[in-house]
Amino acid sequence: MSGGWNTIESDAGVFTYLLENLGVKNVQFEELISLDAQSLGQLSPLGVIFLFKYNNEGRKSDGPLDGQFDFEATYNLDDAGSGGDGKGKVWFAAQTIQNACGTQALLSVLMNKDNADGVELGPHLTDFKDFTAAFPPDIRGEALSNSDLIRDTHNSFARSSPFVSDETRMATQDDDLFHFIAYTSINGKLYELDGLQEAPINHGPCTPTDFAEKVIPVLQRRIERYPSNEIRFNLLAMCQDLRAKAREFGDEDMLYREEEKRRAWQWENALRKHNFVGFVGELMKGVTAAKIADESYDAWIEDSKQKTKKKLEEGKKKGYNPDEMEI
């Protein structure tokens, strides 16, 4: 590999344009602020991406804490050597590298959808899916980790920072680790797709129509395993481009809102790519010179020290840890 994978945010605009830059058409993401089956169902979701604090307690001795491993679903998509047609199989990749789980979760949903679901993978991901069809999950995960196109596109949405290189820094036991996984309906079943697990996890019968009703209880049970004061979760729905729906129904107001949302996402993504350290440095030089000129410099510094000390003490009381990484 020519480089590492950087941490990216769980953000609807990031994920939407990440897939668009990979050539995917007619897909976007919407953030959900509550576990509400009705709100999720209105989006006709293709799947959901769930971000949570990873605690390495995702299974019991004989399987996962919820649902059942479906090892047969990981057989080659083309059933190489068996004469099968690959129907009923799940595209599932093991996660083989740190920080790749965000993009891996997106692809876990996408690679199990097709034109019938209103999704256009585009030439790059179609070729990648065809290339990895006959691979077992571990080799499929290696192929994903070593894809220059997918990795470079993923990294282009990481926040610019001159201080920490996520390519070289490894997580430690003192870090708060976060992880992305996917849930989607495949072949009449609700699957949890987590590259850190041994296989797809089957949560029972589920069609695209009742996906919202079936996935919400699964998510609720997962969240209930955490302490009541743990609130660091994020849920994004993958759905078809809502602008297309607005055009279909002739809803000009909805179309305007969606176009405005896209412009805001583009602006936010552009800001993520810029390093503002130089600008802040020059700004501080100007402020410092002004404080020295009016002889308020010493009082300003002392006041800043006290405010910083107070914030650090408040953060410690809340259990805040500034070192947070995605795994």
Side-chain angles (χ1 to χ4, degrees):
M1 253 180 29
S2 59
W5 291 68
N6 298 336
T7 302
I8 61 173
E9 297 175 62
S10 183
D11 179 85
V14 168
F15 286 177
T16 297
Y17 280 97
L18 191 159
L19 291 184
E20 186 170 294
N21 288 0
L22 285 172
V24 179
K25 295 182 179 179
N26 198 33
V27 171
Q28 76 173 71
F29 288 84
E30 287 291 301
E31 184 171 4
L32 300 169
I33 59 175
S34 65
L35 292 178
D36 177 14
Q38 182 176 1
S39 298
L40 177 58
Q42 289 175 350
L43 296 171
S44 301
L46 301 167
V48 296
I49 309 300
F50 185 55
L51 175 70
F52 59 95
K53 183 179 178 181
Y54 185 75
N55 57 13
N56 199 28
E57 297 178 355
R59 62 169 299 174
K60 51 189 177 180
S61 59
D62 58 345
L65 294 177
D66 193 14
Q68 297 293 327
F69 284 130
D70 189 346
F71 290 98
E72 292 186 0
T74 65
Y75 291 165
N76 300 343
L77 297 185
D78 61 359
D79 283 337
S82 65
D85 59 8
K87 291 183 178 179
K89 304 307 178 185
V90 176
W91 192 96
F92 175 76
Q95 184 180 329
T96 63
I97 192 170
Q98 182 173 294
N99 293 335
C101 61
T103 293
Q104 184 152 340
L106 311 186
L107 297 183
S108 293
V109 175
L110 268 182
M111 293 297 192
N112 288 292
K113 305 300 175 182
D114 53 31
N115 292 334
D117 301 296
V119 173
E120 294 183 42
L121 286 180
H124 301 303
L125 291 185
T126 297
D127 289 346
F128 182 77
K129 182 177 180 179
D130 292 341
F131 173 69
T132 59
F135 294 170
D138 56 340
I139 303 302
R140 195 175 291 151
E142 290 289 348
L144 172 58
S145 298
N146 286 281
S147 168
D148 289 339
L149 173 65
I150 297 175
R151 183 185 64 249
D152 291 346
T153 303
H154 167 105
N155 285 345
S156 71
F157 288 90
R159 284 190 177 275
S160 175
S161 173
F163 302 115
V164 178
S165 173
D166 284 327
E167 294 181 4
T168 58
R169 181 179 183 273
M170 298 299 293
T172 71
Q173 61 181 3
D174 296 323
D175 290 326
D176 281 340
L177 306 178
F178 291 84
H179 185 50
F180 290 96
I181 61 175
Y183 293 87
T184 188
S185 171
I186 308 172
N187 305 316
K189 301 176 183 178
L190 173 59
Y191 279 107
E192 175 184 329
L193 303 173
D194 178 357
L196 296 182
Q197 298 287 353
E198 299 175 27
I201 298 174
N202 182 357
H203 288 280
C206 177
T207 66
T209 302
D210 59 13
F211 170 74
E213 293 182 1
K214 293 295 182 67
V215 75
I216 293 299
V218 175
L219 292 168
Q220 289 174 330
R221 290 195 296 270
R222 186 175 201 118
I223 291 174
E224 288 170 358
R225 296 202 293 266
Y226 286 81
S228 59
N229 62 345
E230 178 57 70
I231 60 173
R232 290 172 293 179
F233 303 100
N234 184 258
L235 183 64
L236 294 172
M238 179 189 294
C239 58
Q240 294 185 23
D241 190 334
L242 295 179
R243 296 174 300 178
K245 181 181 292 187
R247 295 188 184 100
E248 179 182 351
F249 290 102
D251 191 333
E252 294 297 328
D253 290 338
M254 179 182 177
L255 180 59
Y256 176 79
R257 291 194 301 270
E258 291 302 318
E259 292 288 4
E260 284 293 297
K261 184 191 301 179
R262 291 283 180 139
R263 282 189 281 270
W265 284 347
Q266 287 180 315
W267 172 247
E268 292 165 3
N269 288 336
L271 291 179
R272 287 183 176 92
K273 299 179 182 181
H274 288 282
N275 179 351
F276 293 97
V277 172
F279 169 76
V280 173
E282 292 301 315
L283 179 63
M284 289 303 299
K285 287 180 183 179
V287 172
T288 302
K291 294 292 183 181
I292 292 175
D294 64 15
E295 299 183 350
S296 62
Y297 178 80
D298 291 337
W300 176 53
I301 292 297
E302 185 60 32
D303 182 58
S304 297
K305 287 180 179 179
Q306 294 303 319
K307 288 181 178 179
T308 300
K309 182 179 179 180
K310 183 179 179 181
K311 286 183 179 180
L312 289 174
E313 290 174 349
E314 291 175 350
K316 288 180 180 179
K317 291 179 181 179
K318 296 178 181 179
Y320 172 70
N321 184 349
D323 295 322
E324 295 182 352
M325 294 187 66
E326 167 200 334
I327 62 171

